[in-house]
Amino acid sequence: MATNYSYLSNATPEYIDAQYEQYKQDPESVDFGWQKFFEGFDFGRIDWTGEGTGEAADVKEIYVLNLIDAYRTRGHLFTKSNPVRERRKYSPTLDLKNFKLSDADLDTVYNAGIEVGLGPAKLRDIVALLEKTYCQSIGAEYRYIREPEIRDWLKDKMEGSRNTPNFSSDEKKHILHKLNQAVVFEKFLGTKYVGQKRFSIEGAESLIPALDEVIEKGADMGIDEFVLGMAHRGRLNVLVNILNKSYDDVFSEFEEIGANGNDTEDFLGDVKYHHGYSVDVKTEKGKEVHLSLCPNPSHLESVGPVAMGKARAKIDLKYNRNHSALGTILIHGDASIAGQGVVYETLQMSELPAYETGGTVHIVINNQVGFTTNYIDGRSSTYCTDVAKVTGSPVFHINGDDPEAVVHACKLAMEFRMTFHRDVFIDLLCYRRHGHNEGDEPRFTQPTLYEIIEKHPNPRDIYVEKLKERGDIDEGDAKKMEKEFKRMLNDRLKEVKKEGKAVEYSFGESAWKELRREADSDWDESPATGVDEAKLRAIADKMLTLPEGKEFYSKTHRINDQRRKMLEETDRLDWSMGELLAYGTLLAEGHPVRMSGQDVERGTFAHRHAVLKVDKTEEEHIPLNHVTEGQAKLEIYNSLLSEYAVLGFEYGYSWSAPYTLTIWEAQFGDFVNGAQIIIDQYISSAEQKWLRLSGLVMLLPHGYEGQGPEHSSARMERFTELCNSNNWQLVNPTTPAQMFHLLRRQLHRKIRVPLIVFTPKNLLRLPAASSSIKDLANGRFQEIIDDPKVKGDDVSRVLICSGKIYYDLLKEQEEGKHKNVAVVRMEQIYPLPVKQIAALKEKYSNAKEWVWVQEEPENMGAWSFILRKSRALGLKGIEVISRKESASPATGYKKAHVDEQQGLVKAAFAPVLHEENDLVKA
């Protein structure tokens, strides 16, 4: 065991002697650390008093042990890992004098050498081993890891090899080959496309042999597939030299040949360094591995949870939860990993049952500058990777100019991941040859640094000289390699310019081959999604049957009894029954259901109860996993308190699971704004940018019940402003049957489009918002629900609303006997139900007033969208009744809320539409 001996410096000889005597009598009676300390040392012969000689020589064994511990703990602070800067000065140093030792002790033999595997050894040899292991091109941080067996494993691996690479001639040539690809490709692009943005890898070319080794070693240890996520720096190089994307395609993108090989009108595309790619490659040892690089926006670290979710879906559905079959690699920038909070959120997810993927290899391209910000202004922590300590993940800081050290550390990192299934970090200390992009002038902000960089040779040239000095290659080998590669690139570019062939992008991997992109005709009418009543009752019965011999909380039995009563007596199913039966029927049909979010197991409003706890224990029972034989499984998880990373994860999951109902639920819909980047950059736009489809479902509790500005609005207006090309579905259902059909519709079509559901709060238990089991057994989702209580010819005013306010309007309509006012529910806001509205226009052809009624302030909710689309809907001249414009979503005062709500309803049925009202816009 690697014991932390720092406490020894405070121990007196008398105390140590007493501990040793106790250890001899009963080893178990002393602290575990002392047990391991005394192992291997014969302390019985030591004169601890040192009488007549000053300090006893043997007491210095303790000082040597302290020195060893200091190298293991702090050696990373004194490495040669920075290629272009002097390291910051740290104190105290590892000088012998700081450990009560001196040069005079260097040739003394110490038993402490046993601790580093040398046996009794001279201090000189002990220090040499420690210097070589911990203070050269590789610095290791691992002593904060709590598990002794993991610390021991890392210690033995590093000290056993001295952290010194030992590669064969062929392996060295392969490293050179990958470096050559990286360097020459960037230089070629820089020559042919002067000034064009490419976010080159220059200065960090060692990333390519690093990635190559992670994949090679992982494949050798049993990994069949890797999912990668990275920002734009070095992405083109990774695409061509790791994922084998053709050079032709990259050149075509630079030449902008053809807007789109798929000839799709609404495909807008993205810049070349944002696109993803998926491919099967063969390793040097002949192992086939599938690689997929996720597309991403410029919101650097946002791709992290997305890649993790994509990986988890494959682990669940393709590899039967075998974490050793698939690996995840995330490539960061030093500024972004230190500055972006989503990194912390994602790392906190890494070992949770809901989100674990068996350990991620993190590689940091540490340019030592973020755009124009120096690293000393970019973080308070010592290292950009200090977030790794949150989960006790080891970090290797490596000099990017030493490619052999880089490859050696990557090999060790991959072995660690496969052994312990934990995250591990590679901090690749390098530099950025150009500015933030190729048109940026870095000397404006880092003049001294870029004076050094300008004169600094690239990693390939440094390695070539090293290989030549050692006699590993001949003088002409490197030049020949460079010349041949450059010739090949020139040939490819000439062909591209001659043929003018556009790049073709596909919309998914093999899992999507039976599905297609949506068409306008898909929204004319929803498919039939009813389920035979007998089957519904059988599923419900199984769902409500609790296992024998287990005691559940009394309220759990009460809820079950109430649900049985709905089925067997009242035939009025509440929201939870409609939702749970949707899941149950999909599971019975073989469709997995996955849901996560804050408090989703019980439900924020205690309506779902999908997971039941056995009373006075932590044992769980999930009723929906027992509805029929051979069913699929419900995976439902209460998430960590995160919106950004969790929504990103579930979205990534949906990329690889088109036949799974993947759901994220916000605790309150208001909190969705914590995940706005995922919504803006992925969910709303990924199809237009990258041809990436998703069937993700978002449940956002929404409705004005006087709970204040943070518990009222899911900010529908933010979704409506992003509507285009049927990119998603915005739905505000008002009955359990509608929810049932809506969720089933999501998997009962040959298309997959994200579904945003504005779910209710008080309607969960409102008697009027209930459905018959026949409503579930028959029919389909209705985009528009007409008013059944009025006659078309008698109607002079049509109120169109969405969601919860319908029931307030309904009550007033019935109590006031307003037979000339129709109340119509628009259940689907987008895609627009144009044909259904046209049918209403025909039915209510005598109506003089068409009014949109909403709870939200006029500048929020769906009104702006409805007004903008009024011409397409045939509703020119439509008016609005809403709360007044506001900066805050809702009042925080209950009485004010009630007054406003009553004012809305009164205004909706007022004889004169525009009568004065201080509370509402009318």
Side-chain angles (χ1 to χ4, degrees), residues 41 78 81 87 119 126 175 202 216 228 310 442 471 490 499 528 654 662 666 708 740 786 826 828 882 888 892 913:
F41 296 93
F78 306 99
S81 57
R87 289 215 55 169
I126 294 170
I175 293 171
E202 289 168 280
E216 286 281 340
L228 294 86
K310 178 182 173 72
N490 262 313
E499 295 179 6
S654 72
T662 305
F740 174 86
D786 192 8
M826 185 183 285
Q828 180 172 294
S882 68
S888 175
L913 184 63

Side-chain angles (χ1 to χ4, degrees), residues 88-356:
R88 283 194 261 185
K89 304 299 181 184
Y90 294 96
S91 181
T93 67
L94 299 175
D95 291 346
L96 295 179
K97 65 182 180 182
N98 292 320
F99 300 88
K100 300 182 182 180
L101 297 166
S102 68
D103 290 348
D105 298 308
L106 286 171
D107 288 316
T108 302
V109 174
Y110 291 97
N111 287 323
I114 295 169
E115 175 64 18
V116 292
L118 292 176
K122 291 180 179 180
L123 179 59
R124 182 185 308 280
D125 296 331
I126 294 170
V127 171
L129 181 148
L130 294 168
E131 280 284 326
K132 199 166 190 181
T133 302
Y134 295 110
C135 297
Q136 299 304 305
S137 290
I138 301 174
E141 287 190 281
Y142 70 102
R143 299 292 286 174
Y144 46 76
I145 297 174
R146 295 185 181 90
E147 297 86 345
E149 66 275 13
I150 296 180
R151 293 199 306 269
D152 269 357
W153 187 92
L154 288 163
K155 168 186 72 74
D156 293 342
K157 283 284 184 179
M158 289 186 289
E159 292 176 9
S161 68
R162 311 295 192 263
N163 253 345
T164 302
N166 183 23
F167 295 122
S168 68
S169 177
D170 286 344
E171 287 173 325
K172 292 173 184 174
K173 288 178 180 176
H174 181 69
I175 293 171
L176 177 59
H177 169 64
K178 300 309 290 184
L179 272 179
N180 186 70
Q181 286 182 323
V183 171
V184 177
F185 177 70
E186 294 292 0
K187 284 187 173 181
F188 185 83
L189 291 180
T191 302
K192 300 297 182 182
Y193 302 103
V194 179
Q196 279 205 42
K197 288 183 183 180
R198 66 181 192 277
F199 294 96
S200 85
I201 202 176
E202 289 168 280
E205 290 94 339
S206 289
L207 172 69
I208 299 304
L211 271 177
D212 179 74
E213 180 56 36
V214 169
I215 293 165
E216 286 281 340
K217 186 64 179 177
D220 196 40
M221 297 185 77
I223 288 181
D224 295 318
E225 183 168 356
F226 281 95
V227 174
L228 294 86
M230 70 178 296
H232 43 268
R233 174 86 46 212
R235 189 181 189 87
L236 295 179
N237 216 304
V238 169
L239 281 166
V240 296
N241 292 320
I242 295 297
L243 282 88
N244 295 345
K245 181 176 180 177
S246 76
Y247 298 105
D248 304 47
D249 281 352
V250 174
F251 295 149
S252 292
E253 289 172 333
F254 272 98
E255 297 289 332
E256 296 190 0
I257 297 173
N260 170 38
N262 293 42
D263 194 28
T264 308
E265 288 183 10
D266 60 354
F267 175 67
L268 299 180
D270 200 350
V271 290
K272 60 190 78 68
Y273 37 81
H274 284 175
H275 281 288
Y277 197 69
S278 181
V279 69
D280 291 319
V281 301
K282 191 168 282 190
T283 68
E284 286 293 298
K285 292 184 179 179
K287 175 80 184 290
E288 284 213 352
V289 185
H290 184 75
L291 305 178
S292 56
L293 176 65
C294 299
N296 69 285
S298 286
H299 287 70
L300 303 172
E301 298 291 347
S302 64
V303 77
V306 176
M308 299 288 286
K310 178 182 173 72
R312 174 60 181 260
K314 293 194 171 202
I315 289 169
D316 285 352
L317 304 171
K318 186 176 178 181
Y319 297 109
N320 195 27
R321 293 290 175 88
N322 179 8
H323 292 100
S324 295
L326 184 142
T328 313
I329 303 169
L330 294 181
I331 304 170
H332 312 267
D334 55 315
S336 64
I337 195 174
Q340 296 293 300
V342 72
V343 177
Y344 174 84
E345 293 184 33
T346 305
L347 198 59
Q348 280 286 24
M349 296 165 69
S350 65
E351 294 179 31
L352 300 178
Y355 312 104
E356 62 184 355

Side-chain angles (χ1 to χ4, degrees), residues 468-749:
K468 283 161 58 177
E469 286 174 16
R470 296 190 309 208
D472 291 316
I473 62 170
D474 296 328
E475 179 70 32
D477 289 346
K479 289 184 178 179
K480 181 182 178 183
M481 188 182 290
E482 179 180 4
K483 188 176 180 181
E484 289 179 351
F485 189 63
K486 195 179 293 183
R487 183 190 303 125
M488 182 275 294
L489 292 176
N490 262 313
D491 291 344
R492 295 276 74 77
L493 180 55
K494 287 177 183 176
E495 286 184 24
V496 166
K497 289 184 174 182
K498 181 180 178 182
E499 295 179 6
K501 185 179 178 182
V503 181
E504 292 192 11
Y505 300 102
S506 63
F507 69 78
E509 299 179 67
S510 57
W512 293 84
K513 63 184 179 182
E514 300 299 325
L515 299 169
R516 59 175 174 80
R517 296 187 71 195
E518 61 80 36
D520 287 341
S521 59
D522 290 312
W523 307 103
D524 290 345
E525 184 181 51
S526 291
T529 45
V531 177
D532 180 73
E533 185 176 333
K535 185 176 287 187
L536 282 171
R537 291 187 179 279
I539 289 172
D541 179 66
K542 289 286 189 180
M543 184 178 76
L544 298 175
T545 301
L546 300 179
E548 294 182 5
K550 296 185 186 298
E551 291 294 325
F552 291 89
Y553 184 43
S554 59
K555 287 188 177 179
T556 300
H557 290 286
R558 195 182 311 157
I559 291 166
N560 253 29
D561 292 343
Q562 289 170 350
R563 288 175 172 175
R564 281 200 179 278
K565 188 176 180 180
M566 293 177 200
L567 287 160
E568 297 171 2
E569 298 180 26
T570 65
D571 190 28
R572 302 312 302 169
L573 308 185
D574 68 5
W575 199 274
S576 65
M577 282 298 287
E579 180 188 345
L580 293 173
L581 284 172
Y583 302 147
T585 55
L586 289 170
L587 293 167
E589 293 166 0
H591 291 291
V593 176
R594 175 185 166 90
M595 177 188 287
S596 82
Q598 297 152 26
D599 314 300
V600 296
E601 294 179 6
R602 186 201 73 177
T604 297
F605 312 103
H607 83 287
R608 184 171 292 120
H609 296 287
V611 178
L612 308 179
K613 288 290 182 78
V614 177
D615 199 19
K616 298 178 182 177
T617 75
E618 291 299 312
E619 183 182 349
E620 294 183 344
H621 173 65
I622 302 178
L624 283 170
N625 283 334
H626 303 276
V627 296
T628 188
E629 290 185 9
Q631 68 168 87
K633 193 174 181 182
L634 168 67
E635 300 277 358
I636 183 166
Y637 302 99
N638 287 340
S639 75
L640 70 163
L641 198 66
S642 156
E643 290 83 35
Y644 189 170
V646 174
L647 179 58
F649 188 99
E650 300 305 340
Y651 176 72
Y653 197 100
S654 72
W655 268 359
S656 291
Y659 297 98
T660 296
L661 187 67
T662 305
I663 304 170
W664 175 74
E665 181 176 57
Q667 189 178 56
F668 284 86
D670 314 66
F671 300 163
V672 73
N673 57 15
Q676 196 66 46
I677 288 172
I678 297 297
I679 295 164
D680 290 349
Q681 302 299 330
Y682 294 90
I683 300 172
S684 67
S685 57
E687 186 175 355
Q688 280 200 326
K689 292 192 296 189
W690 311 313
L691 287 180
R692 283 294 176 266
L693 305 183
S694 166
L696 177 72
V697 178
M698 293 170 60
L699 304 183
L700 310 179
H702 174 84
Y704 281 55
E705 285 106 352
Q707 295 188 49
E710 303 304 324
H711 292 333
S712 298
S713 175
R715 308 310 295 257
M716 190 183 295
E717 65 277 3
R718 295 183 180 175
F719 292 91
T720 58
E721 72 178 5
L722 295 172
C723 291
N724 186 260
S725 302
N726 301 333
N727 59 326
W728 54 19
Q729 309 158 80
L730 305 184
V731 180
N732 198 358
T734 54
T735 71
Q738 281 285 83
M739 188 67 171
F740 174 86
H741 291 296
L742 177 65
L743 292 172
R744 286 183 52 77
R745 181 180 81 167
Q746 192 67 356
L747 292 182
H748 277 261
R749 295 185 291 187

Side-chain angles (χ1 to χ4, degrees), residues 37-53:
F37 173 72
F38 291 131
E39 285 180 9
F41 296 93
D42 184 4
F43 277 73
R45 298 197 306 273
I46 295 178
D47 174 13
W48 291 102
T49 65
E51 290 180 5
T53 61

Side-chain angles (χ1 to χ4, degrees), residues 50 63 114 166 374-375 395 424 432 436 566 582 610 701 718 833 874 911:
Y63 304 150
I114 295 169
N166 183 23
N374 282 316
Y375 74 96
V395 182
V424 57
R432 192 182 67 192
H436 176 66
M566 293 177 200
R718 295 183 180 175

